[in-house]
Amino acid sequence: LAESSTKKAPHIHSFIGSSVRNLTIRKKSLPSGERPYKIPIPNTHYQFNMATKVGIIGAGGMVSYHIQGFQQAGAEITAIADLNEDAAKQIAEENKIPQVFSDVAEMLAIEEIDAVSIIVPNKFHAPLAIQSLKAGKHVFCEKPPALNAAEVNEMIDAANEAGKELMFNFNNRARPESY
């Protein structure tokens, strides 16, 4: 997707607060003479309602990307949890995150946290997402969602029962080489 036929595909966060008038759909390889087609969109501002207070589960290598993304979107990172409490403390100190936990359940008990970002090894995605949803938190989870379809269905059921959002970080969908 691109705003016009001359611009490159924007990153998703670039839609926040920007006006979009036309989107151009491009096929990966257009047959000779075929042109991209445009979809007219009313002059509206795309605005995402996101939780303002976020807790992060996992202090590994991807955490800086999640912190930066949430902060750019206007969220406040209020807590971080990791079994390696020293790693969580270091990330918290570097990013001015006020609360550090080695126990996820303790962090999830904090009422002011609206959502969590799950950045842990794949085998823990589903159990932590379900635990977080049952604790009343929205969930943003790294890819892959789970180890199998049954776990994904359990995650979806937990989100529906809790009335909370469950999102996965399929960030490569917005990359130009993906279409």
Side-chain angles (χ1 to χ4, degrees):
L1 296 179
E3 269 189 69
S4 73
S5 60
T6 60
K7 291 184 180 178
K8 291 183 179 179
H11 292 287
I12 291 185
H13 64 77
S14 67
F15 282 124
I16 298 172
S18 67
S19 178
V20 178
R21 290 193 177 90
N22 286 296
L23 292 179
T24 301
I25 307 297
R26 296 175 189 256
K27 295 180 182 172
K28 195 166 191 172
S29 58
L30 294 171
S32 178
E34 188 174 332
R35 301 177 61 111
Y37 55 96
K38 291 189 176 189
I39 300 172
I41 295 179
N43 187 12
T44 58
H45 290 278
Y46 284 82
Q47 187 173 20
F48 299 99
N49 294 327
M50 71 170 295
T52 57
K53 297 195 185 259
V54 177
I56 293 180
I57 302 172
M62 298 301 293
V63 72
S64 62
Y65 297 105
H66 285 245
I67 291 170
Q68 181 182 22
F70 279 109
Q71 288 175 338
Q72 284 178 350
E76 177 186 350
I77 309 297
T78 59
I80 185 166
D82 195 291
L83 288 175
N84 181 345
E85 193 170 6
D86 290 337
K89 284 179 181 177
Q90 181 179 345
I91 295 297
E93 186 177 306
E94 292 169 2
N95 295 279
K96 299 180 175 85
I97 299 171
Q99 299 176 80
V100 177
F101 298 91
S102 60
D103 182 348
V104 170
E106 287 180 29
M107 185 183 82
L108 294 175
I110 300 171
E111 285 189 38
E112 72 174 16
I113 294 176
D114 302 305
V116 296
S117 182
I118 298 175
I119 320 163
V120 296
N122 301 347
K123 67 182 180 179
F124 301 115
H125 288 180
L128 286 171
I130 292 166
Q131 181 182 2
S132 300
L133 291 161
K134 287 182 177 181
K137 312 301 181 195
H138 298 288
V139 171
F140 181 75
C141 185
E142 260 300 335
K143 62 186 174 310
L147 298 181
N148 56 56
E151 286 183 352
V152 173
N153 285 330
E154 290 177 42
M155 295 165 80
I156 292 168
D157 289 344
N160 288 335
E161 288 172 19
K164 298 297 179 182
E165 297 295 325
L166 171 62
M167 300 178 291
F168 302 108
N169 188 24
F170 290 115
N171 57 307
N172 291 329
R173 292 185 308 172
R175 296 176 62 116
E177 61 269 21
S178 295
Y179 27 83

